[in-house]
Amino acid sequence: MSQFKPNNHPHRRYNPLTQEWVLVSPQRAKRPWQGRVEPLDEQTLPAHDPNCYLCAGNTRVSGERNPAYQGPYVFKNDFAALMDDVPTYEQTDSQTDNLFRSECVAGTSRVICFSEQHNRTLPELGEESIAAVIEVWCQQYRELGQRFPWVQVFENKGAINGCSNPHPHGQLWACSTLPTLPACEDRTQRDYFENHQQSMLLAYAQRECEAQQRVICQNDNWVAVVPYWASWPFETLLLPIAAVAQMTDLDGAQKASLASILKVLTTKYDNLFQTSFPYSMGWHGAPFVPNNNHIKSTKGDQRHWQLHAHFYPPLLRSATVRKFMVGYEMLCEAQRDLTPEEAAERLRSLPDRHYKSVGKPG
Ligand code: H2U
Ligand code: ZN
């Protein structure tokens, strides 16, 4: 029997944030693909589309008209999944029943248009325009953190990923309870902090910066890695290099360098398959302690929390071939062929300049 090599032999890796394992099967990376190929969605878009619900000056489905905005624009989702005012549950069996348990949840949902430009995704915006989006995220966290313990800012990008509108936008959902995944990350980071007297993700970022095996790009304040335990082929984790519990704690320099690394990372993503790279991304940070008695508050000490963004892109080997999380993954655990180190190496070696801007000035 030959010696074990992680680049050649199947093994499992542990995700300390979710307490889940992923099966890595690098020996399988060259298998032929005869499965589903997605249609390529590469039409050239106008800077303003009179039929887009999100463009400036246009009327939305609700009949409300968007103002002639410039830069980011936030509005309440016309089809919100959460409602601000929900009747509170009476103490009923459903809160104590072992098998049929439920609880009420209040919340609010908003749409965040990144800019008035219908045809410019994050990597195609200038750093100042990306900084304006970050500023809006911070304002939203500050405002909604007064009322809700959890505010989920995210971007769901690309038709292949279920996004309904190409106008560059993200969303936020704020809610009165900690959702499942943030609650799990709260628990695992808290346990790690209690056992090791340091923040899990701060220690992790430092180890990744030292190892330089999975780093895609970094600057003075941030590092983007394909995490050791990634389950999606080109999944990334964006981490501050210093302790930061929540987006509202970022200082001016950290926000400016966040705009810069977001541009580099999303540019590399687009350059990978020379396509507008689809993904779901979102921010996780310390839950808030809202000043509203009706909302479930979290414990005050948040030193275990480290702000971070997850990027989960579905593409596997080209602009048209995606990974499916099915079969073994639905029934046992996530599985990947390409190692995280190989994925990081491919992204790292791509240019920082967007493929569409090559040959153009600036
Ligand atoms: P997604 O494509 O990521 O789903 O985002 C579009 C969101 O915009 C979606 O949640 C909302 C949808 O409910 N929307 C409005 O609030 N008003 C509209 O007129 C169109 C879409
Ligand atoms: Zn538009």
Side-chain angles (χ1 to χ4, degrees):
M1 191 45 92
S2 58
Q3 199 195 353
F4 171 77
K5 294 205 180 85
N7 285 344
N8 295 337
H9 298 120
H11 59 281
R12 294 167 81 216
R13 297 190 187 190
Y14 181 67
N15 181 339
L17 267 179
T18 60
Q19 298 182 310
E20 289 170 337
W21 291 82
V22 53
L23 173 63
V24 186
S25 316
Q27 80 288 357
R28 227 166 148 255
K30 288 175 196 68
R31 87 195 153 103
W33 177 264
Q34 294 188 307
R36 185 179 164 90
V37 172
E38 308 286 337
L40 195 56
D41 185 22
E42 288 291 76
Q43 78 274 46
T44 29
L45 300 171
H48 181 275
D49 177 352
N51 297 316
C52 169
Y53 293 120
L54 306 185
C55 268
N58 292 358
T59 305
R60 300 203 303 273
V61 179
S62 59
E64 221 171 296
R65 184 186 284 272
N66 299 325
Y69 67 90
Q70 296 226 308
Y73 169 59
V74 182
F75 67 89
K76 186 170 175 187
N77 196 315
D78 299 313
F79 306 96
L82 294 153
M83 292 162 68
D84 271 293
D85 295 310
V86 278
T88 38
Y89 265 30
E90 302 291 325
Q91 181 66 39
T92 58
D93 289 349
S94 56
Q95 283 167 306
T96 49
D97 193 297
N98 287 336
L99 293 176
F100 299 88
R101 191 168 152 197
S102 62
E103 63 176 15
C104 57
V105 53
T108 198
S109 308
R110 295 177 181 173
V111 177
I112 306 170
C113 301
F114 293 157
S115 87
E116 75 287 359
Q117 301 200 68
H118 183 79
N119 56 355
R120 294 235 177 171
T121 59
L122 275 189
E124 298 166 280
L125 290 175
E127 269 180 39
E128 312 78 66
S129 304
I130 300 175
V133 174
I134 295 167
E135 210 46 68
V136 164
W137 288 340
C138 291
Q139 285 162 9
Q140 295 292 319
Y141 275 112
R142 256 194 302 277
E143 179 204 325
L144 291 166
Q146 310 279 320
R147 286 165 52 206
F148 298 107
W150 192 256
V151 182
Q152 185 58 60
V153 164
F154 63 97
E155 179 189 5
N156 199 28
K157 180 174 171 237
I160 193 179
N161 220 27
C163 178
S164 61
N165 188 319
H167 191 116
H169 68 282
Q171 296 193 40
L172 72 80
W173 297 19
C175 55
S176 59
T177 53
L178 271 194
T180 308
L181 300 180
C184 178
E185 289 194 3
D186 185 50
R187 212 167 44 241
T188 54
Q189 288 180 98
R190 188 184 298 278
D191 289 349
Y192 189 96
F193 194 88
E194 278 169 14
N195 292 332
H196 303 275
Q197 289 75 53
Q198 59 177 337
S199 139
M200 176 202 285
L201 289 181
L202 185 54
Y204 178 68
Q206 283 162 356
R207 291 274 299 273
E208 288 290 18
C209 288
E210 280 159 29
Q212 290 292 322
Q213 273 185 297
R214 283 165 296 273
V215 171
I216 300 158
C217 45
Q218 69 188 98
N219 61 26
D220 288 348
N221 299 300
W222 298 88
V223 61
V225 300
V226 178
Y228 180 75
W229 51 78
S231 50
W232 292 93
F234 295 98
E235 176 178 335
T236 55
L237 187 60
L238 177 56
L239 293 159
I241 295 169
V244 183
Q246 181 45 266
M247 187 161 309
T248 46
D249 299 332
L250 293 174
D251 64 24
Q254 287 168 321
K255 284 190 252 186
S257 56
L258 175 56
S260 160
I261 202 164
L262 276 174
K263 186 166 170 78
V264 173
L265 179 60
T266 54
T267 297
K268 283 174 176 287
Y269 267 160
D270 277 12
N271 286 345
L272 181 62
F273 299 131
Q274 303 234 326
T275 193
S276 183
F277 200 70
Y279 55 71
S280 279
M281 71 79 69
W283 287 96
H284 286 162
F288 293 93
V289 184
N291 45 26
N292 176 340
N293 296 336
H294 300 296
I295 301 290
K296 272 196 183 170
S297 220
T298 50
K299 290 180 206 148
D301 187 350
Q302 305 284 34
R303 280 177 304 162
H304 56 290
W305 261 99
Q306 178 74 341
L307 175 71
H308 58 277
H310 297 279
F311 283 78
Y312 299 119
L315 293 183
L316 174 63
R317 56 179 70 209
S318 73
T320 52
V321 176
R322 60 162 296 157
K323 176 175 175 64
F324 290 96
M325 287 278 190
V326 293
Y328 190 82
E329 281 134 325
M330 278 182 166
L331 291 156
C332 293
E333 63 193 17
Q335 184 272 341
R336 61 179 298 133
D337 298 345
L338 186 74
T339 65
E341 293 72 30
E342 288 164 334
E345 166 62 31
R346 286 190 59 185
L347 288 168
R348 183 169 53 235
S349 61
L350 290 163
D352 290 357
R353 184 163 178 146
H354 198 273
Y355 72 94
K356 282 193 202 162
S357 74
V358 172
K360 291 188 188 160

